[in-house]
Amino acid sequence: MKKTLLAISVVLLAAGCAQNPPPPTVSPVAAMQPANVPAWQQGRPQDLATSTLAPHAGRLTAVPAGEIPVNQLKVPPGFKVELWASGMPGVRAMARTDSGRIYAGTRGIGRVYEITDSGGQRTSRVLVDKLTQPAVAYHNGALYVAAIDKVLRYDGIDRNPAAQPVDLTAKFNLPPEQHHNWKYIRFGPDGKLYMPFGAPCNICIPGEPYAQIRRYDADGSNMQVIARGVRNTQGFDWHPVTRELWFSDHGRDWMGDNAPEDELNRMTRVGQNFGFPYCHANGIPDRDIRRERACDGVTLPVATMGPHAAAMGVHFYTGTMFPAEYRNTLLVARKGSWNRTQKFGYDVVAVRTDANGANARITPFLTGFLDASKDTFWGRPVYMLQMPDGSLLVSDEQMGAIYRISYGM
């Protein structure tokens, strides 16, 4: 009887340990910074306290078209790249209305632009200003504008550019932190609005409202957290055949020049965990927030996108203008590194995989923004928008410009 009770006790103890793993070990480096210290310095180790690495300043004034060196851009044989629109400081993610107007958000400058194509010439105006890092999406005749602390809906704006917004902010229950909480929004094949809530830090235990992707009904109701452990996604798209969500995610800073890499992730079911803050890239445990079996239960990426590459917009190409091998190919814009002594990224790459998402192959698509020999850059590609004719628009946040890529024309 005593042996039986002892055996039961051992089993129960083991079960309790399995259900209650020891708490993570958090390094002092992972402590939150005082308010007077820039947020990007959080997580920087003491041996890098004098590092000169810092985020690159964006250009917040219009750049004349003649000063944008489009001739330096390179695309594969048969493709052509040209300047399509300029004069929109900080332009980022774009959405197109039924009539062809394009709306685009920004980050640092807080604007939403309206871009009109008058046939060979593009003009722009500021639709709304003084928002906190807004993004845009167009759905069922309405333009949605989501900032960190506000969600607006412009009904019928395609017919009435003077439409006044409906404020939906209260419906969305937005958490307040700004760091990595800037927005990219899209409506999915299910008609729901998808929105990321990034980690409020470089590396920390983020708390429930953060490091996740949510989806809502169009009016802000029925919120559902669909993915966790997502540090900072700035772009997602749905596979044209499987309808699975694919998204980029930025790796943490201050763990060295070459690690951890940014991620390209594929969500095959609701509720998956993608690792932050314990597990990065292809299974690299974090050095400052450590727990046993850090990568257990984590969905690893389809591909890693390079160290500190700032992988942004992702787009599955579905048009017929480009050669057949580009059909359903994923294009990824890499804005480019700052937390690295040798710059990396500043391009758009093509990612091809097997039907099951394995064996990813990454090849250049749009290059020329970075001069590796001088370690300098002039532009930073961020997002893509496919046009009805199959051409592709690419926004450049640094130049405040949009380029058009076509084939065989």
Side-chain angles (χ1 to χ4, degrees):
M1 183 66 177
K2 289 182 179 180
K3 289 183 179 179
T4 301
L5 291 174
L6 179 60
I8 292 173
S9 299
V10 170
V11 170
L12 291 174
L13 180 61
C17 291
Q19 294 172 5
N20 299 293
T25 302
V26 180
S27 163
V29 169
M32 299 306 289
Q33 297 280 54
N36 63 340
V37 177
W40 55 265
Q41 293 185 10
Q42 192 266 336
R44 186 173 65 177
Q46 188 60 38
D47 61 344
L48 292 176
T50 60
S51 172
T52 58
L53 294 175
H56 305 302
R59 294 184 65 163
L60 301 182
T61 56
V63 180
E67 296 181 13
I68 301 175
V70 185
N71 62 324
Q72 295 183 19
L73 296 177
K74 300 177 178 63
V75 284
F79 286 88
K80 175 185 176 182
V81 57
E82 57 193 319
L83 181 64
W84 189 79
S86 61
M88 300 158 293
V91 65
R92 284 170 68 106
M94 302 164 284
R96 185 179 184 275
T97 70
D98 302 322
S99 72
R101 280 196 186 91
I102 289 174
Y103 291 90
T106 59
R107 182 180 156 197
I109 205 164
R111 293 176 182 167
V112 172
Y113 297 107
E114 178 189 84
I115 305 160
T116 302
D117 187 351
S118 303
Q121 183 179 8
R122 267 65 59 185
T123 58
S124 66
R125 72 177 180 107
V126 176
L127 172 70
V128 61
D129 204 355
K130 297 182 173 64
L131 297 178
T132 308
Q133 305 174 0
V136 296
Y138 186 74
H139 180 69
N140 287 346
L143 177 72
Y144 288 73
V145 175
I148 288 178
D149 57 354
K150 192 175 292 293
V151 179
L152 305 174
R153 188 187 71 220
Y154 292 79
D155 295 326
I157 196 168
D158 207 17
R159 301 183 307 274
N160 176 22
Q164 295 303 299
V166 177
D167 194 330
L168 301 177
T169 306
K171 297 281 191 72
F172 281 84
N173 191 26
L174 303 172
E177 294 292 341
Q178 289 196 20
H179 195 192
H180 294 150
N181 201 13
W182 43 83
K183 291 289 171 267
Y184 173 78
I185 58 172
R186 282 282 298 277
F187 280 89
D190 54 7
K192 291 181 179 290
L193 180 60
Y194 287 68
M195 188 181 299
F197 294 83
C201 58
N202 168 37
I203 184 67
C204 64
I205 299 176
E208 173 55 29
Y210 301 102
Q212 57 186 228
I213 302 174
R214 301 178 185 177
R215 66 182 173 195
Y216 300 82
D217 287 351
D219 64 356
S221 62
N222 295 321
M223 186 277 284
Q224 182 183 21
V225 177
I226 62 165
R228 300 181 188 275
V230 181
R231 179 179 178 271
N232 181 27
T233 179
Q234 287 295 294
F236 36 82
D237 198 6
W238 289 263
H239 191 281
V241 177
T242 67
R243 302 300 190 194
E244 292 171 338
L245 180 70
W246 292 53
F247 63 92
S248 61
D249 194 13
H250 293 189
R252 66 154 292 185
D253 298 320
W254 303 118
M255 253 179 75
D257 269 7
N258 296 313
E261 295 192 41
D262 283 9
E263 301 172 5
L264 175 62
N265 289 305
R266 170 192 179 211
M267 196 181 85
T268 57
R269 59 176 175 79
V270 169
Q272 286 172 293
N273 187 297
F274 293 88
F276 185 83
Y278 307 107
C279 178
H280 309 288
N282 276 332
I284 300 173
D286 193 79
R287 71 178 185 193
D288 296 313
I289 298 183
R290 301 182 298 278
R291 74 172 185 185
E292 293 182 7
R293 301 182 296 278
C295 295
D296 281 6
V298 169
T299 300
L300 297 180
V302 169
T304 52
M305 299 306 300
H308 310 292
M312 301 289 291
V314 302
H315 173 72
F316 281 105
Y317 183 78
T318 58
T320 57
M321 176 187 283
F322 292 4
E325 61 264 31
Y326 282 90
R327 187 81 171 184
N328 297 343
T329 290
L330 187 67
L331 300 170
V332 181
R334 301 191 296 190
K335 180 180 172 181
S337 62
W338 69 264
N339 193 239
R340 196 172 192 271
T341 53
Q342 189 77 23
K343 293 179 179 62
F344 181 86
Y346 306 90
D347 58 9
V348 177
V349 294
V351 182
R352 296 179 174 89
T353 67
D354 297 346
N356 62 359
N359 300 314
R361 301 167 300 283
I362 300 174
T363 56
F365 181 69
L366 174 63
T367 61
F369 297 99
L370 172 68
D371 185 338
S373 65
K374 298 178 181 178
D375 197 34
T376 59
F377 70 92
W378 60 266
R380 306 189 81 179
V382 278
Y383 289 99
M384 293 150 289
L385 177 67
Q386 185 176 307
M387 298 293 274
D389 65 356
S391 63
L392 193 73
L393 301 185
V394 179
S395 59
D396 175 354
E397 183 179 30
Q398 191 72 11
M399 288 287 105
I402 298 174
Y403 313 107
R404 179 179 182 263
I405 299 176
S406 58
Y407 183 83
M409 299 181 69

